[in-house]
Amino acid sequence: MTQAGMTIHALLRGTPVPFRDAEYSAIAKMPISGLVRIGWLGLEGDAVADRVHHGGWDKAIHLYPQDHYPFWRERKPGHALLDQAGAFGENIASSGLTESEICIGDRFTLGSAVLEVSHGRQPCWKLDHRFGAKDVMATIVKTARCGIYFRVAQEGEADASVDTHMALIDRPQPEWPVARVFRLLIGGGHKGDPAAVRELAAMPLLAEAWRERAAKLAG
C-alpha cells in the first residue's frame, strides 16, 4: 500500500485533578519529553478519573488532529487553550490526516508500538466546561471533528522529544472513515442509512461500545 501517515508534534499525559464540583478529570494533559512506554492501556503515566467512560482497551490512546485547531481558533478567538496542543485532552497531537481520512481498523506505527483505530471520540460535557462555552460538544457532533481512539495492537516505546512520524501500515476497511461512522452513530445519520448501521453492529474492529450503540440504533 502507499505509505501515508501523520506527523506527531507532541505526546501528552495527564493526572486526575479537581474539575467541577466533586468531579475529577485528567483532561488537562501535559507534553512528555524523552522516551515513553506504550502499554496495552496507553501511555505510561497517563491516568483517567472516570473509568466507566474513559480508558480501557478500546480507549487506550486519544489522538486529536492539530489540523482542526485553525477551525477552533476562528470560533474561539484568543482562547488560551488553543495556543498549544492538548486543548481536547489528546494524548497525541498530530497533523496530516483527519477523521475523514483515518478509517476504523487502520494500523499505525508509533515508535516501536503499533496502534489500531477503534472508534471516534463521543464528546461530553467536560469539553464545554473546559472551554467555558456551551457549544463545543454540539459543534463536534455537527462537524465530526471528534478525534480518534486507538487500542494498542503491539506494545513498545516512542521518543516524545522530537517530531516523529506515525506510518499507516494496514487499512483493512477503507470504506469506513471515522467521520462517516461518527455521523451515523453520533450525528443522527443512522436514520438515513439503516443498512450501514447494521453493518457497523457486526464489525469486529469497531469498539464494543459503538457496536452496541449501532445494534440499538438498528433496532
Side-chain angles (χ1 to χ4, degrees):
M1 65 184 299
T2 302
Q3 187 70 273
M6 296 172 280
T7 297
I8 306 308
H9 306 292
L11 300 178
L12 306 97
R13 60 189 173 197
T15 300
V17 297
F19 188 65
R20 187 185 73 175
D21 300 329
E23 296 272 357
Y24 278 67
S25 176
I27 195 171
K29 300 187 186 298
M30 300 299 294
I32 305 166
S33 61
L35 288 177
V36 58
R37 178 72 181 166
I38 302 168
W40 300 121
L41 296 180
L43 304 184
E44 186 176 55
D46 191 45
V48 298
D50 180 357
R51 295 186 180 275
V52 174
H53 299 103
H54 300 284
W57 166 246
D58 280 334
K59 297 181 179 180
I61 295 177
H62 176 227
L63 176 150
Y64 198 80
Q66 305 300 285
D67 312 69
H68 296 328
Y69 272 52
F71 168 89
W72 289 107
R73 290 183 185 120
E74 287 184 4
R75 283 148 184 80
K76 306 294 177 188
H79 203 299
L81 283 177
L82 298 168
D83 290 341
Q84 60 277 315
F88 297 87
E90 61 263 36
N91 298 115
I92 300 176
S94 67
S95 64
L97 296 175
T98 71
E99 300 87 347
S100 296
E101 298 143 333
I102 299 170
C103 301
I104 300 298
D106 280 1
R107 286 193 170 196
F108 291 88
T109 60
L110 179 57
S112 60
V114 175
L115 309 185
E116 182 178 271
V117 176
S118 59
H119 62 321
R121 177 187 183 175
Q122 182 173 354
C124 69
W125 64 268
K126 290 182 179 179
L127 285 172
D128 281 358
H129 184 72
R130 178 161 167 76
F131 276 84
K134 297 181 179 180
D135 63 342
V136 176
M137 182 171 67
T139 300
I140 289 172
V141 171
K142 183 178 180 180
T143 65
R145 289 176 167 87
C146 57
I148 308 290
Y149 272 124
F150 291 97
R151 58 178 70 93
V152 177
Q154 175 181 301
E155 294 184 304
E157 62 181 18
D159 188 346
S161 301
V162 295
D163 282 3
T164 188
H165 186 71
M166 279 182 76
L168 176 64
I169 58 174
D170 192 23
R171 171 160 285 171
Q173 300 182 139
E175 72 279 17
W176 286 108
V178 171
R180 180 190 179 197
V181 178
F182 183 90
R183 290 190 174 100
L184 284 168
L185 299 186
I186 309 299
H190 65 281
K191 300 173 184 177
D193 197 347
V197 175
R198 289 193 294 272
E199 188 173 345
L200 289 173
M203 184 181 293
L205 291 176
L206 184 63
E208 181 180 3
W210 277 26
R211 292 200 309 270
E212 292 175 352
R213 181 176 180 84
K216 290 178 181 178
L217 292 172

